[in-house]
Amino acid sequence: MIKLNRPLRALVADPASDAAREALRHYATSTGDYTPLVEALIRVGVGAQAGTPAGLDCMRELGQLARQRMDDAGLALWCANVGLRHAPESEALRALRQSLLSPAEEAERSL
């Protein structure tokens, strides 16, 4: 994990850093451990740069990971909500949010 601290911190500091994101993606796909990538993307979402174009792209990527790899509708919904805070005019984000409400509520009930 020590080797991953640098790209994790780099991505949080600069969500547009393709090198940092690629290093974390490579680790995730080669090991099957998506934790460092997910952690970095979440940190971007709660940080000051969440509303930048690169930050919103990080939220899109995290939302896709949450839906496709993690089966986590709650996390995907959070990503859509972060995106809507910064791009409230986005019809695509509103539609995505609407489609995730029921699965996220179901997942919450099953906990």
Side-chain angles (χ1 to χ4, degrees), residues 22-105:
E22 188 53 41
L24 292 166
R25 282 185 195 132
H26 176 73
Y27 176 82
T29 57
S30 65
T31 65
D33 179 8
Y34 283 78
T35 305
L37 175 59
V38 169
E39 179 181 342
L41 295 171
I42 288 172
R43 287 184 185 192
V44 169
V46 299
Q49 298 196 50
T52 65
L56 292 171
D57 188 53
C58 286
M59 290 301 90
R60 280 189 288 280
E61 181 172 354
L62 180 57
Q64 287 177 336
L65 283 172
R67 290 188 312 278
Q68 296 171 1
R69 295 241 178 232
M70 303 164 63
D71 193 28
D72 189 338
L75 180 57
L77 179 60
W78 178 79
C79 293
N81 286 334
V82 170
L84 281 168
R85 267 197 303 274
H86 300 286
E89 72 289 344
S90 173
E91 289 294 328
L93 283 173
R94 274 189 247 161
L96 177 60
R97 182 184 186 282
Q98 191 63 37
S99 73
L100 291 166
L101 285 173
S102 182
E105 287 172 2

Coordinates of all heavy atoms in Angstrom, one line a residue, residues 22-105:
E22 N -4.3 6.4 -13.5 CA -3.9 5.2 -14.2 C -3.1 4.3 -13.3 O -3.3 3.0 -13.4 CB -3.1 5.6 -15.5 CG -2.8 4.4 -16.3 CD -4.0 3.6 -16.8 OE1 -5.0 4.2 -17.1 OE2 -3.9 2.4 -16.8
A23 N -2.3 4.8 -12.5 CA -1.5 3.9 -11.5 C -2.5 3.2 -10.6 O -2.4 2.0 -10.3 CB -0.6 4.7 -10.7
L24 N -3.5 3.9 -10.1 CA -4.5 3.2 -9.2 C -5.4 2.3 -10.0 O -5.7 1.2 -9.5 CB -5.4 4.3 -8.5 CG -4.6 5.2 -7.5 CD1 -5.4 6.4 -7.2 CD2 -4.2 4.4 -6.3
R25 N -5.7 2.6 -11.2 CA -6.5 1.6 -12.0 C -5.7 0.4 -12.3 O -6.3 -0.7 -12.3 CB -6.9 2.3 -13.4 CG -8.0 3.2 -13.3 CD -8.4 3.7 -14.7 NE -9.2 4.8 -14.7 CZ -9.0 5.9 -15.5 NH1 -7.9 6.0 -16.3 NH2 -9.8 6.9 -15.4
H26 N -4.4 0.6 -12.7 CA -3.6 -0.6 -13.0 C -3.5 -1.5 -11.8 O -3.6 -2.7 -11.9 CB -2.2 -0.1 -13.4 CG -1.3 -1.3 -13.6 ND1 -1.3 -2.1 -14.7 CD2 -0.2 -1.7 -12.9 CE1 -0.4 -3.0 -14.6 NE2 0.3 -2.8 -13.5
Y27 N -3.3 -0.9 -10.6 CA -3.2 -1.7 -9.4 C -4.6 -2.5 -9.2 O -4.6 -3.7 -8.9 CB -2.9 -0.9 -8.2 CG -3.0 -1.6 -6.9 CD1 -1.9 -2.4 -6.5 CD2 -4.1 -1.7 -6.1 CE1 -1.9 -3.1 -5.3 CE2 -4.2 -2.4 -4.9 CZ -3.1 -3.1 -4.5 OH -3.1 -3.9 -3.4
A28 N -5.7 -1.8 -9.4 CA -7.0 -2.4 -9.2 C -7.2 -3.6 -10.1 O -7.6 -4.6 -9.7 CB -8.1 -1.3 -9.4
T29 N -6.9 -3.4 -11.4 CA -7.2 -4.4 -12.4 C -6.2 -5.6 -12.3 O -6.6 -6.7 -12.5 CB -7.2 -3.9 -13.8 OG1 -6.0 -3.3 -14.1 CG2 -8.3 -2.9 -14.0
S30 N -5.0 -5.3 -11.9 CA -4.0 -6.4 -11.8 C -4.1 -7.2 -10.5 O -3.7 -8.3 -10.5 CB -2.6 -5.8 -11.9 OG -2.2 -5.0 -10.9
T31 N -4.7 -6.6 -9.4 CA -4.8 -7.3 -8.2 C -6.2 -7.7 -7.8 O -6.4 -8.5 -6.9 CB -4.2 -6.5 -7.0 OG1 -5.0 -5.3 -6.8 CG2 -2.8 -6.1 -7.2
G32 N -7.2 -7.0 -8.4 CA -8.6 -7.2 -8.0 C -9.0 -6.4 -6.8 O -10.1 -6.4 -6.3
D33 N -8.0 -5.6 -6.3 CA -8.3 -4.8 -5.1 C -8.5 -3.3 -5.6 O -7.6 -2.6 -5.9 CB -7.1 -4.8 -4.2 CG -7.2 -4.0 -2.9 OD1 -8.3 -3.4 -2.7 OD2 -6.2 -3.9 -2.2
Y34 N -9.8 -3.0 -5.5 CA -10.2 -1.6 -6.0 C -10.2 -0.6 -4.8 O -10.5 0.6 -5.0 CB -11.6 -1.7 -6.6 CG -11.5 -2.2 -8.0 CD1 -11.4 -3.6 -8.2 CD2 -11.5 -1.4 -9.1 CE1 -11.3 -4.1 -9.5 CE2 -11.4 -1.9 -10.4 CZ -11.3 -3.3 -10.6 OH -11.2 -3.8 -11.8
T35 N -9.8 -1.0 -3.6 CA -9.9 -0.2 -2.4 C -9.1 1.1 -2.6 O -9.7 2.2 -2.3 CB -9.4 -0.9 -1.2 OG1 -10.2 -2.1 -1.1 CG2 -9.6 -0.1 0.1
P36 N -7.8 1.1 -3.0 CA -7.1 2.4 -3.1 C -7.7 3.4 -4.1 O -7.8 4.6 -3.9 CB -5.7 2.0 -3.5 CG -5.6 0.6 -3.1 CD -7.0 0.0 -3.2
L37 N -8.2 2.8 -5.3 CA -8.8 3.7 -6.3 C -10.1 4.2 -5.8 O -10.4 5.4 -5.9 CB -9.1 2.8 -7.6 CG -9.9 3.6 -8.7 CD1 -9.1 4.8 -9.2 CD2 -10.1 2.6 -9.8
V38 N -10.9 3.4 -5.1 CA -12.2 3.9 -4.6 C -12.0 4.9 -3.5 O -12.6 6.0 -3.4 CB -13.0 2.7 -4.0 CG1 -14.2 3.2 -3.2 CG2 -13.5 1.8 -5.2
E39 N -11.0 4.7 -2.6 CA -10.7 5.6 -1.6 C -10.3 7.0 -2.1 O -10.7 8.0 -1.7 CB -9.6 5.1 -0.7 CG -9.2 6.1 0.4 CD -8.1 5.6 1.3 OE1 -7.8 4.4 1.4 OE2 -7.5 6.5 2.0
A40 N -9.4 7.0 -3.2 CA -9.0 8.2 -3.8 C -10.2 9.0 -4.4 O -10.3 10.2 -4.2 CB -7.9 8.0 -4.8
L41 N -11.0 8.2 -5.1 CA -12.1 8.9 -5.8 C -13.1 9.4 -4.7 O -13.7 10.5 -4.9 CB -12.8 7.9 -6.7 CG -12.0 7.4 -7.9 CD1 -12.7 6.3 -8.6 CD2 -11.7 8.6 -8.8
I42 N -13.3 8.7 -3.6 CA -14.2 9.2 -2.6 C -13.6 10.5 -2.0 O -14.3 11.5 -1.8 CB -14.5 8.2 -1.5 CG1 -15.4 7.1 -2.0 CG2 -15.1 8.8 -0.2 CD1 -15.5 5.9 -1.1
R43 N -12.3 10.5 -1.8 CA -11.7 11.7 -1.2 C -11.8 12.9 -2.2 O -12.0 14.0 -1.7 CB -10.2 11.4 -0.9 CG -10.0 10.6 0.3 CD -8.5 10.4 0.5 NE -8.2 9.5 1.6 CZ -7.0 9.4 2.1 NH1 -6.0 10.1 1.7 NH2 -6.8 8.5 3.1
V44 N -11.8 12.7 -3.4 CA -12.0 13.7 -4.4 C -13.4 14.3 -4.2 O -13.7 15.5 -4.2 CB -11.8 13.3 -5.9 CG1 -12.3 14.3 -6.9 CG2 -10.3 13.0 -6.1
G45 N -14.4 13.3 -4.1 CA -15.8 13.7 -3.9 C -16.1 14.5 -2.7 O -17.0 15.3 -2.7
V46 N -15.4 14.4 -1.7 CA -15.6 15.1 -0.4 C -14.7 16.4 -0.4 O -14.9 17.2 0.5 CB -15.5 14.3 0.9 CG1 -16.5 13.2 0.9 CG2 -14.1 13.8 1.0
G47 N -13.8 16.5 -1.3 CA -12.9 17.6 -1.3 C -13.3 18.8 -2.0 O -14.4 18.9 -2.6
A48 N -12.5 19.8 -2.0 CA -12.8 21.1 -2.6 C -12.9 21.1 -4.1 O -13.5 21.9 -4.7 CB -11.8 22.1 -2.2
Q49 N -12.3 20.0 -4.7 CA -12.2 20.0 -6.2 C -13.3 19.1 -6.8 O -13.3 18.8 -8.0 CB -10.9 19.5 -6.6 CG -9.8 20.4 -6.2 CD -8.5 20.2 -7.0 OE1 -8.5 20.1 -8.2 NE2 -7.4 20.0 -6.3
A50 N -14.3 18.7 -6.0 CA -15.4 17.8 -6.4 C -16.1 18.4 -7.6 O -16.6 17.7 -8.5 CB -16.3 17.5 -5.3
G51 N -16.3 19.8 -7.6 CA -17.1 20.4 -8.6 C -16.3 20.8 -9.9 O -16.9 21.3 -10.8
T52 N -15.1 20.5 -9.9 CA -14.3 20.8 -11.1 C -14.6 19.8 -12.2 O -15.1 18.7 -11.9 CB -12.8 20.8 -10.8 OG1 -12.4 19.4 -10.5 CG2 -12.4 21.8 -9.7
P53 N -14.3 20.1 -13.4 CA -14.6 19.0 -14.5 C -13.9 17.7 -14.1 O -14.5 16.6 -14.3 CB -14.0 19.7 -15.7 CG -14.2 21.1 -15.5 CD -13.9 21.3 -14.0
A54 N -12.7 17.8 -13.7 CA -11.9 16.5 -13.3 C -12.6 15.9 -12.1 O -12.6 14.6 -12.1 CB -10.5 16.8 -13.1
G55 N -13.0 16.6 -11.2 CA -13.7 16.1 -10.0 C -15.0 15.4 -10.3 O -15.3 14.3 -9.9
L56 N -15.7 16.0 -11.2 CA -17.0 15.4 -11.7 C -16.7 14.1 -12.5 O -17.4 13.2 -12.4 CB -17.8 16.4 -12.5 CG -18.4 17.6 -11.7 CD1 -19.0 18.6 -12.6 CD2 -19.4 17.1 -10.7
D57 N -15.6 14.1 -13.2 CA -15.2 12.9 -14.0 C -14.9 11.8 -13.0 O -15.2 10.6 -13.2 CB -14.1 13.2 -14.9 CG -13.8 12.0 -15.8 OD1 -14.7 11.5 -16.5 OD2 -12.6 11.6 -15.8
C58 N -14.2 12.2 -11.9 CA -13.9 11.2 -10.8 C -15.2 10.6 -10.3 O -15.3 9.4 -10.0 CB -13.1 11.8 -9.7 SG -11.3 12.1 -10.2
M59 N -16.2 11.5 -10.1 CA -17.5 11.0 -9.5 C -18.2 10.0 -10.5 O -18.8 9.0 -10.1 CB -18.4 12.1 -9.2 CG -17.9 13.0 -8.0 SD -17.8 12.0 -6.5 CE -16.1 11.4 -6.5
R60 N -18.1 10.3 -11.8 CA -18.6 9.4 -12.8 C -17.9 8.1 -12.8 O -18.6 7.0 -12.8 CB -18.5 10.0 -14.2 CG -19.5 11.1 -14.6 CD -19.5 11.5 -16.0 NE -18.3 12.3 -16.3 CZ -18.3 13.6 -16.1 NH1 -19.3 14.2 -15.5 NH2 -17.2 14.3 -16.4
E61 N -16.6 8.1 -12.7 CA -15.9 6.8 -12.6 C -16.2 6.1 -11.4 O -16.4 4.8 -11.4 CB -14.4 7.1 -12.7 CG -13.6 5.8 -12.6 CD -12.1 6.0 -12.9 OE1 -11.6 7.1 -13.2 OE2 -11.4 5.0 -12.8
L62 N -16.3 6.7 -10.2 CA -16.6 6.0 -9.0 C -18.1 5.5 -9.1 O -18.3 4.4 -8.6 CB -16.5 7.0 -7.8 CG -16.8 6.4 -6.4 CD1 -16.0 5.2 -6.1 CD2 -16.6 7.5 -5.4
G63 N -19.0 6.3 -9.6 CA -20.3 5.8 -9.8 C -20.4 4.5 -10.6 O -21.1 3.6 -10.3
Q64 N -19.6 4.5 -11.7 CA -19.6 3.3 -12.6 C -19.0 2.1 -11.8 O -19.5 1.0 -11.9 CB -18.8 3.6 -13.8 CG -19.5 4.5 -14.8 CD -18.6 4.8 -16.0 OE1 -17.4 4.7 -16.0 NE2 -19.3 5.1 -17.1
L65 N -17.9 2.3 -11.1 CA -17.3 1.3 -10.3 C -18.3 0.7 -9.3 O -18.5 -0.5 -9.1 CB -16.1 1.7 -9.6 CG -14.8 1.9 -10.4 CD1 -13.7 2.5 -9.5 CD2 -14.3 0.5 -10.8
A66 N -19.0 1.7 -8.6 CA -20.0 1.3 -7.6 C -21.1 0.4 -8.2 O -21.5 -0.6 -7.6 CB -20.6 2.5 -6.9
R67 N -21.6 0.8 -9.4 CA -22.7 0.0 -10.0 C -22.2 -1.3 -10.6 O -22.8 -2.3 -10.4 CB -23.4 0.9 -11.1 CG -24.2 2.0 -10.5 CD -25.0 2.7 -11.6 NE -24.3 3.1 -12.8 CZ -23.5 4.1 -13.0 NH1 -23.3 5.0 -12.0 NH2 -23.0 4.4 -14.2
Q68 N -21.1 -1.2 -11.3 CA -20.6 -2.4 -12.1 C -19.7 -3.4 -11.4 O -19.9 -4.6 -11.6 CB -19.9 -1.9 -13.4 CG -20.8 -1.1 -14.3 CD -20.0 -0.4 -15.4 OE1 -18.8 -0.5 -15.5 NE2 -20.8 0.3 -16.2
R69 N -18.9 -2.9 -10.5 CA -17.9 -3.8 -9.9 C -18.3 -4.1 -8.4 O -18.0 -5.2 -7.9 CB -16.5 -3.2 -9.9 CG -16.0 -3.1 -11.2 CD -14.7 -3.9 -11.3 NE -14.2 -3.8 -12.6 CZ -13.9 -4.9 -13.3 NH1 -14.0 -6.1 -12.8 NH2 -13.4 -4.7 -14.5
M70 N -18.9 -3.1 -7.7 CA -19.2 -3.3 -6.3 C -20.6 -3.6 -6.0 O -20.9 -3.9 -4.8 CB -18.7 -2.0 -5.6 CG -17.3 -1.7 -5.9 SD -16.8 0.0 -5.4 CE -17.1 0.1 -3.7
D71 N -21.5 -3.4 -6.9 CA -23.0 -3.6 -6.7 C -23.4 -2.8 -5.5 O -24.0 -3.3 -4.6 CB -23.3 -5.1 -6.5 CG -24.8 -5.3 -6.5 OD1 -25.5 -4.6 -7.2 OD2 -25.2 -6.3 -5.9
D72 N -23.0 -1.5 -5.5 CA -23.3 -0.6 -4.3 C -24.1 0.6 -4.8 O -23.5 1.6 -5.2 CB -21.9 -0.2 -3.7 CG -22.1 0.6 -2.4 OD1 -23.2 1.1 -2.2 OD2 -21.2 0.7 -1.6
A73 N -25.4 0.4 -4.8 CA -26.3 1.5 -5.3 C -26.2 2.7 -4.4 O -26.3 3.8 -4.9 CB -27.7 1.0 -5.4
G74 N -25.9 2.5 -3.1 CA -25.8 3.7 -2.2 C -24.7 4.6 -2.6 O -24.8 5.8 -2.6
L75 N -23.5 4.0 -2.9 CA -22.3 4.7 -3.3 C -22.6 5.4 -4.6 O -22.2 6.6 -4.8 CB -21.1 3.9 -3.3 CG -19.8 4.5 -3.7 CD1 -19.5 5.7 -2.8 CD2 -18.6 3.5 -3.7
A76 N -23.2 4.7 -5.5 CA -23.5 5.3 -6.8 C -24.4 6.4 -6.7 O -24.3 7.5 -7.4 CB -24.1 4.2 -7.8
L77 N -25.4 6.3 -5.8 CA -26.4 7.4 -5.5 C -25.6 8.6 -5.0 O -25.9 9.8 -5.3 CB -27.5 7.0 -4.6 CG -28.5 8.0 -4.2 CD1 -29.2 8.6 -5.5 CD2 -29.5 7.4 -3.2
W78 N -24.7 8.4 -4.0 CA -23.9 9.5 -3.5 C -23.2 10.2 -4.6 O -23.1 11.4 -4.6 CB -23.0 8.9 -2.4 CG -22.1 9.9 -1.8 CD1 -22.4 10.8 -0.8 CD2 -20.7 10.2 -2.1 NE1 -21.3 11.6 -0.5 CE2 -20.3 11.3 -1.3 CE3 -19.8 9.6 -3.0 CZ2 -19.0 11.8 -1.4 CZ3 -18.5 10.2 -3.1 CH2 -18.1 11.2 -2.3
C79 N -22.6 9.5 -5.5 CA -21.8 10.1 -6.6 C -22.7 11.0 -7.4 O -22.4 12.1 -7.8 CB -21.2 9.0 -7.5 SG -19.9 8.1 -6.7
A80 N -23.9 10.5 -7.7 CA -24.9 11.2 -8.5 C -25.3 12.5 -7.7 O -25.4 13.6 -8.3 CB -26.1 10.4 -8.8
N81 N -25.5 12.4 -6.4 CA -25.8 13.6 -5.6 C -24.7 14.6 -5.6 O -25.0 15.8 -5.7 CB -26.2 13.1 -4.2 CG -27.6 12.5 -4.1 OD1 -28.4 12.7 -5.0 ND2 -27.8 11.6 -3.2
V82 N -23.5 14.1 -5.5 CA -22.3 15.0 -5.5 C -22.3 15.8 -6.9 O -22.2 17.0 -6.9 CB -21.0 14.3 -5.3 CG1 -19.8 15.2 -5.6 CG2 -20.9 13.8 -3.8
G83 N -22.5 15.0 -7.9 CA -22.5 15.6 -9.2 C -23.6 16.6 -9.4 O -23.4 17.7 -9.9
L84 N -24.8 16.3 -8.9 CA -25.9 17.3 -9.0 C -25.7 18.5 -8.2 O -26.2 19.6 -8.5 CB -27.2 16.6 -8.6 CG -27.8 15.7 -9.6 CD1 -28.9 14.8 -9.0 CD2 -28.3 16.5 -10.8
R85 N -25.0 18.4 -7.1 CA -24.7 19.6 -6.3 C -23.9 20.6 -7.1 O -24.0 21.8 -7.0 CB -23.9 19.3 -5.0 CG -24.7 19.1 -3.8 CD -23.9 19.1 -2.5 NE -22.8 18.2 -2.5 CZ -22.9 17.0 -2.0 NH1 -24.1 16.5 -1.6 NH2 -21.8 16.2 -2.0
H86 N -23.1 20.1 -8.0 CA -22.2 21.0 -8.8 C -22.7 21.2 -10.2 O -22.2 22.1 -10.9 CB -20.8 20.4 -8.8 CG -20.2 20.3 -7.5 ND1 -19.8 21.4 -6.8 CD2 -20.0 19.2 -6.6 CE1 -19.3 21.0 -5.6 NE2 -19.5 19.7 -5.5
A87 N -23.6 20.4 -10.7 CA -24.2 20.5 -12.0 C -25.7 20.2 -12.0 O -26.2 19.2 -12.5 CB -23.5 19.5 -13.0
P88 N -26.4 21.1 -11.3 CA -27.8 20.8 -11.0 C -28.7 20.8 -12.3 O -29.8 20.2 -12.3 CB -28.3 21.9 -10.1 CG -27.3 23.0 -10.3 CD -26.0 22.3 -10.7
E89 N -28.2 21.3 -13.4 CA -28.9 21.3 -14.7 C -28.8 20.0 -15.4 O -29.4 19.8 -16.5 CB -28.4 22.5 -15.5 CG -27.0 22.3 -16.1 CD -25.8 22.4 -15.2 OE1 -26.0 22.9 -14.0 OE2 -24.7 21.9 -15.5
S90 N -28.0 19.1 -15.0 CA -27.7 17.8 -15.7 C -28.9 16.9 -15.7 O -29.2 16.3 -14.6 CB -26.5 17.1 -15.1 OG -26.3 15.9 -15.7
E91 N -29.5 16.7 -16.8 CA -30.6 15.8 -17.0 C -30.1 14.4 -16.8 O -30.8 13.5 -16.2 CB -31.3 16.0 -18.3 CG -32.1 17.2 -18.5 CD -33.3 17.3 -17.5 OE1 -33.9 16.3 -17.2 OE2 -33.6 18.4 -17.1
A92 N -29.0 14.1 -17.3 CA -28.4 12.7 -17.2 C -28.2 12.3 -15.7 O -28.5 11.2 -15.3 CB -27.1 12.6 -17.9
L93 N -27.7 13.3 -14.9 CA -27.5 13.0 -13.5 C -28.8 12.9 -12.7 O -28.9 12.0 -11.9 CB -26.6 14.1 -12.8 CG -25.1 14.0 -13.1 CD1 -24.4 15.2 -12.6 CD2 -24.5 12.7 -12.5
R94 N -29.8 13.7 -13.1 CA -31.1 13.5 -12.5 C -31.7 12.2 -12.8 O -32.3 11.5 -11.9 CB -32.0 14.7 -12.9 CG -31.8 15.9 -12.1 CD -32.9 16.9 -12.4 NE -32.1 18.0 -13.0 CZ -32.6 18.9 -13.7 NH1 -33.9 19.0 -14.0 NH2 -31.9 19.9 -14.2
A95 N -31.6 11.8 -14.0 CA -32.2 10.5 -14.4 C -31.4 9.3 -13.7 O -32.0 8.4 -13.2 CB -32.1 10.3 -15.9
L96 N -30.1 9.5 -13.6 CA -29.3 8.4 -12.9 C -29.7 8.4 -11.5 O -29.9 7.3 -10.9 CB -27.8 8.7 -13.1 CG -26.9 7.8 -12.3 CD1 -27.0 6.4 -12.8 CD2 -25.4 8.3 -12.5
R97 N -29.8 9.5 -10.8 CA -30.2 9.6 -9.4 C -31.6 8.9 -9.2 O -31.7 8.1 -8.3 CB -30.3 11.0 -9.0 CG -30.6 11.1 -7.5 CD -30.8 12.6 -7.1 NE -31.0 12.7 -5.6 CZ -32.2 12.4 -5.0 NH1 -33.2 12.1 -5.7 NH2 -32.3 12.5 -3.7
Q98 N -32.5 9.2 -10.1 CA -33.8 8.6 -10.0 C -33.8 7.1 -10.1 O -34.5 6.4 -9.4 CB -34.8 9.2 -11.1 CG -36.2 8.9 -10.9 CD -36.8 9.5 -9.6 OE1 -36.4 10.6 -9.2 NE2 -37.6 8.7 -9.0
S99 N -33.0 6.6 -11.0 CA -32.9 5.2 -11.2 C -32.2 4.5 -10.1 O -32.4 3.3 -9.9 CB -32.1 4.9 -12.5 OG -30.7 5.1 -12.4
L100 N -31.4 5.2 -9.3 CA -30.7 4.6 -8.1 C -31.4 4.7 -6.8 O -31.1 4.0 -5.9 CB -29.3 5.3 -8.0 CG -28.3 5.0 -9.1 CD1 -27.2 6.0 -9.0 CD2 -27.9 3.6 -9.1
L101 N -32.5 5.5 -6.7 CA -33.2 5.7 -5.5 C -33.7 4.4 -4.9 O -33.5 4.0 -3.7 CB -34.3 6.7 -5.6 CG -33.9 8.2 -5.7 CD1 -35.0 9.1 -6.0 CD2 -33.2 8.6 -4.4
S102 N -34.4 3.6 -5.7 CA -35.1 2.4 -5.2 C -34.0 1.3 -4.8 O -34.1 0.8 -3.7 CB -36.0 1.9 -6.2 OG -36.7 0.7 -5.8
P103 N -33.0 1.1 -5.7 CA -32.0 0.1 -5.3 C -31.2 0.5 -4.1 O -30.9 -0.3 -3.2 CB -31.1 0.0 -6.5 CG -31.9 0.5 -7.7 CD -32.8 1.5 -7.1
A104 N -31.0 1.8 -3.9 CA -30.2 2.2 -2.7 C -31.1 2.1 -1.5 O -30.6 1.7 -0.4 CB -29.8 3.7 -2.9
E105 N -32.4 2.4 -1.6 CA -33.3 2.2 -0.4 C -33.4 0.7 -0.1 O -33.4 0.3 1.1 CB -34.6 2.7 -0.7 CG -34.7 4.2 -0.7 CD -36.0 4.8 -1.2 OE1 -36.9 4.0 -1.5 OE2 -36.1 6.0 -1.3

